[in-house]
Amino acid sequence: MSAHVENPGHETVAVIGLGSMGFGMAQSMKRAGLDVTGYDLVQPTVQRFVAEGGRGAGTPREAVRDAGIVVSVVVNAVQTEAVLFGPDGVAAAMKPGAVFVSSATMDPAVARSLSEQVEALGLHYLDAPISGGAAKAAKGELTIMASGSEQAFAAARPALDAMAAKVYELGNTAGTGAAVKMINQLLAGVHIAAACEAISFAAKQGLDLTKVYEVITASAGNSWMFENRIPHVLAGDYTPLSAIEIFIKDLGIVQDMARAERYPAPLAAAALQMYLAASGAGMGRDDDSSLARLYAQLSGAELPGQNKEPHKA
């Protein structure tokens, strides 16, 4: 990068949102030698980060006071906007030349709007949704789909290098990263639905599900989601590593984008209906592999651990 960024505190980072992803991202940056301050609505989580050697803050504004990089790891566009411009919003407290790195999954049009508002304040905005799950976040091995100005990339580089195994630089305007993430989420949501449909169908056939898993993961019908999610079904453990409600949100965004473009997305639409049905059946906060339980309920198939109490978040 050729641009020089006036940002002498570029190695001081604030992480807003210390959930399963944000905590690991904060750990990875701290491990890389960055000075990291964490904030979360759940103060015991902040205390845990402090106990592991990080800094803690009682408010978002306190967290960003000295930060050259602010990494926002919240769920959606509404929460991102609140982090920036809400009652304790960080945009007014960030120092000139600092960069706001937005990791939430959102509609590309919203990402562009937030970027314009942030940049009007003399700050930088990097549209940087993430993929890889909590385990890779903790190892600093995420995939980041980023777009933004050259200055935003330069300012965020220390954090990006610490958090990710792969950083895809997808363009110089916000929204492109968000759009690529939505393509990923379309595939992920459909693949999980297909995997759950298949394993429940196998159960309905009376097959040995462990053997089915072994065969499929060595065959052409395998997918990353089948390989990753079906062990939850085999264990009868639906503790939420990624909840049903996440894909209701994400596939809902896909449908909104598709409708605006007059683009048919029937497979994503069908998958969304299954997630909605699972949520309506009381599984919204359970793991997204709970679609298999829904198929079992609809068909009378028997899955492992079927008589267990469902996880309560």
Side-chain angles (χ1 to χ4, degrees):
M1 297 290 180
S2 59
H4 174 69
V5 179
E6 292 296 334
N7 193 10
H10 69 283
E11 293 189 349
T12 301
V13 183
V15 178
I16 309 299
L18 295 173
S20 60
M21 297 295 287
F23 198 95
M25 293 159 72
Q27 284 179 314
S28 295
M29 288 186 282
K30 182 169 59 68
R31 195 167 54 245
L34 304 183
D35 184 357
V36 184
T37 298
Y39 168 78
D40 195 273
L41 285 170
V42 180
Q43 279 300 304
T45 305
V46 178
Q47 293 161 11
R48 181 162 68 96
F49 182 61
V50 171
E52 295 188 11
R55 299 178 186 270
T59 68
R61 287 194 181 187
E62 180 187 339
V64 308
R65 187 175 299 141
D66 299 315
I69 305 169
V70 177
V71 182
S72 174
V73 198
V74 294
V75 173
N76 55 27
V78 171
Q79 290 186 5
T80 303
E81 187 169 15
V83 166
L84 280 165
F85 304 114
D88 196 39
V90 303
M94 289 170 64
K95 59 186 182 181
V99 59
F100 185 85
V101 180
S102 174
S103 295
T105 301
M106 67 180 72
D107 188 309
V110 178
R112 287 190 288 271
S113 174
L114 292 176
S115 175
E116 290 169 3
Q117 295 175 67
V118 168
E119 290 173 356
L121 298 173
L123 306 168
H124 302 297
Y125 183 100
L126 194 68
D127 174 25
I130 54 180
S131 182
K136 288 191 175 181
K139 295 177 182 177
E141 296 177 355
L142 290 171
T143 295
I144 298 181
M145 296 156 254
S147 61
S149 68
E150 186 176 350
Q151 292 86 353
F153 272 108
R157 185 66 58 192
L160 298 176
D161 288 347
M163 294 186 293
K166 294 181 179 179
V167 178
Y168 290 99
E169 299 187 21
L170 300 170
N172 58 11
T173 57
T176 306
V180 172
K181 177 62 184 292
M182 294 320 306
I183 301 303
N184 180 78
Q185 294 308 93
L186 185 160
L187 288 165
V190 169
H191 287 174
I192 291 168
C196 291
E197 182 173 307
I199 201 68
S200 299
F201 189 43
K204 186 67 175 175
Q205 303 301 308
L207 300 175
D208 180 334
L209 299 188
T210 301
K211 188 60 68 176
V212 169
Y213 178 77
E214 180 183 340
V215 171
I216 296 301
T217 54
S219 303
N222 191 33
S223 67
W224 192 92
M225 285 301 188
F226 185 95
E227 194 162 339
N228 182 266
R229 296 305 205 268
I230 297 308
H232 306 176
V233 179
L234 300 182
D237 183 359
Y238 299 95
T239 302
L241 302 179
S242 174
I244 289 284
E245 292 292 344
I246 295 293
F247 278 100
I248 291 176
K249 171 181 70 77
D250 290 356
L251 291 180
I253 294 172
V254 168
Q255 290 301 307
D256 290 343
M257 292 167 63
R259 183 167 56 251
E261 297 287 345
R262 298 300 184 264
Y263 182 85
L267 298 182
L272 174 58
Q273 294 304 309
M274 297 306 295
Y275 290 103
L276 286 167
S279 181
M283 305 175 198
R285 295 189 177 185
D286 292 340
D287 192 74
D288 51 34
S289 59
S290 291
L291 285 192
R293 292 157 67 199
L294 180 68
Y295 275 108
Q297 287 181 10
L298 293 171
S299 67
E302 293 189 10
L303 294 174
Q306 201 161 316
N307 295 323
K308 288 183 183 179
E309 283 292 314
H311 173 84
K312 297 298 182 185

